[in-house]
Amino acid sequence: MRKSYGEVRAVDGVDLRVSAGSVFGLLGPNGAGKTTIVRTLATLIPPDSGEVRVLGHDVVREARAIRDRIGLTGQYSSVDEELSGRDNLVLLSRLRGFSWGAARRRTGELLATFGLEEAASRLVRTYSGGMRRRLDIASSMIVTPDLMFLDEPTTGLDPHSRNQVWELVRGMVGEGATVLLTTQYLDEADQLADRIAVIDHGQVIADGTPVELKRSVGSSVLRVRLRDAGQRDTAERMLTEALGTAVHTGADRLELTAQVAAEEEATLALAGLSGAGIGLAEYAFGHATLDQVFLALTGHPADGSRAETEEAA
Ligand code: ATP
């Protein structure tokens, strides 16, 4: 599909296939085109060109058939602040055609599932960000959707609320739903998605399982944490010599990371440090993180700092 807004090519030839019953993650920085893809799939905006089918239906010609079977939660809450959580859900159930009795029953079920029973009678404007997000997701699940779009469902949430949302997503998939999730958080895609497409400038620049993406960087990573910052220069020099690659220093200057071609190299490098009396608080050897994958694929980190750099320039 392609979609432009004036001169801006928001989606520039994206070709994706998502299997039923899976969680598919669209991962990319601010402005990559994720929301435009979701809005097109959810039949809110038409593509400029391309063939886009959702649950077997064409998004332009058969939008109605799709709308009855999908749920969508956007980045901004769509619930009414001046109503209670319960009244929001009853209202939306009635709009979906439920009788009063059925609307109340469905509301009760959703309040329980989403942990909102205690707060059910309070006005939504008194809710925390996490509660609002849960109510928002609940309101898009009044009729259990076959396909759920979650557009950055945890942006701005604290770690506890993020975990709660992740559990809800796992619950939906357990019940057979397909989930298309957009996120800027690499760990979120890693935690939830069966497959991930990395989007940058409206194009898919990589596509695979989280493990495949991490492997695609081509090597594994050794990470050590020193006990004494005074030994950092020696440790850095020894690792550079032993591994023959660049060694990166973490923000707190106690952590060193380097790409490693084979596990034996990492073992030898660690033995070298130990032999030289360099104390390690921690060490780990494993696949690259998705952050490192993004950096390797795009040449810039996934936190949107590229956009800021471009603006500054
Ligand atoms: P974010 O995480 O910031 O929402 P995103 O990956 O979802 O980013 P989109 O919102 O799809 O990205 O935006 C893709 C590009 O299209 C951006 O350059 C954005 O400025 C532009 N864009 C999006 N919507 C519009 C619009 N209605 N009019 C003009 N330009 C738009």
Side-chain angles (χ1 to χ4, degrees):
M1 69 167 277
R2 288 179 200 279
K3 178 79 188 178
S4 296
Y5 299 103
E7 296 287 287
V8 181
R9 286 194 201 156
V11 181
D12 193 10
V14 163
D15 193 0
L16 294 174
R17 186 175 282 272
V18 177
S19 312
S22 69
V23 181
F24 193 91
L26 282 179
L27 175 69
N30 276 322
K34 306 178 299 293
T35 300
T36 304
I37 295 172
V38 166
R39 289 175 62 80
T40 308
L41 295 176
T43 77
L44 293 172
I45 50 173
D48 293 341
S49 62
E51 187 189 350
V52 187
R53 299 183 77 78
V54 174
L55 300 163
H57 298 286
D58 183 274
V59 288
V60 179
R61 291 192 305 275
E62 302 167 297
R64 262 226 79 96
I66 295 171
R67 286 180 193 169
D68 285 341
R69 294 175 55 196
I70 60 172
L72 167 65
T73 304
Q75 286 174 42
Y76 304 101
S77 179
S78 56
V79 288
D80 190 327
E81 303 259 307
E82 301 302 325
L83 292 179
S84 69
R86 177 181 289 113
D87 287 349
N88 263 291
L89 293 176
V90 170
L91 172 72
L92 290 166
S93 303
R94 292 283 292 152
L95 288 171
R96 293 298 297 250
F98 286 52
S99 67
W100 280 109
R104 285 203 197 91
R105 262 195 312 281
R106 183 63 185 144
T107 295
E109 285 165 13
L110 288 167
L111 290 170
T113 309
F114 286 78
L116 291 167
E117 279 168 314
E118 269 179 41
S121 305
R122 269 168 43 200
L123 295 188
V124 171
R125 73 174 136 85
T126 69
Y127 281 21
S128 69
M131 290 161 73
R132 236 172 250 236
R133 200 62 62 90
R134 278 183 277 143
L135 180 65
D136 213 33
I137 299 176
S139 68
S140 56
M141 293 185 67
I142 285 170
V143 177
T144 310
D146 294 325
L147 169 61
M148 186 74 179
F149 295 105
L150 297 170
D151 192 11
E152 300 195 17
T154 65
T155 295
L157 295 188
D158 62 50
H160 176 67
S161 304
R162 282 181 84 195
N163 270 315
Q164 285 182 323
V165 171
W166 289 357
E167 281 311 308
L168 292 174
V169 175
R170 293 191 180 109
M172 283 176 210
V173 178
E175 286 175 21
T178 305
V179 174
L180 191 132
L181 165 92
T182 79
T183 182
Q184 299 186 43
Y185 301 124
L186 301 138
D187 61 330
E188 182 157 284
D190 197 8
Q191 285 272 339
L192 294 177
D194 301 304
R195 291 189 74 80
I196 298 172
V198 183
I199 309 277
D200 197 33
H201 290 296
Q203 296 183 326
V204 175
I205 54 164
D207 175 5
T209 64
V211 171
E212 282 166 359
L213 287 177
K214 290 186 212 170
R215 277 210 192 108
S216 71
V217 183
S219 61
S220 302
V221 171
L222 173 68
R223 184 177 63 79
V224 302
R225 202 175 165 73
L226 304 170
R227 286 193 191 287
D228 176 3
Q231 295 184 317
R232 193 183 60 84
D233 290 346
T234 316
E236 188 173 343
R237 186 174 39 75
M238 289 186 68
L239 285 176
T240 308
E241 278 169 18
L243 300 170
T245 52
V247 174
H248 303 283
T249 310
D252 67 358
R253 312 203 46 84
L254 281 170
E255 191 171 295
L256 299 172
T257 54
Q259 306 235 325
V260 182
E263 194 173 345
E264 304 81 69
E265 276 187 16
T267 315
L268 283 175
L270 288 172
L273 293 182
S274 162
I278 291 175
L280 298 183
E282 279 173 42
Y283 62 89
F285 176 75
H287 286 306
T289 66
L290 279 172
D291 265 312
Q292 290 156 335
V293 173
F294 203 91
L295 190 61
L297 291 171
T298 65
H300 59 81
D303 60 7
S305 56
R306 170 196 46 131
E308 282 154 30
T309 318
E310 277 177 4
E311 271 163 33

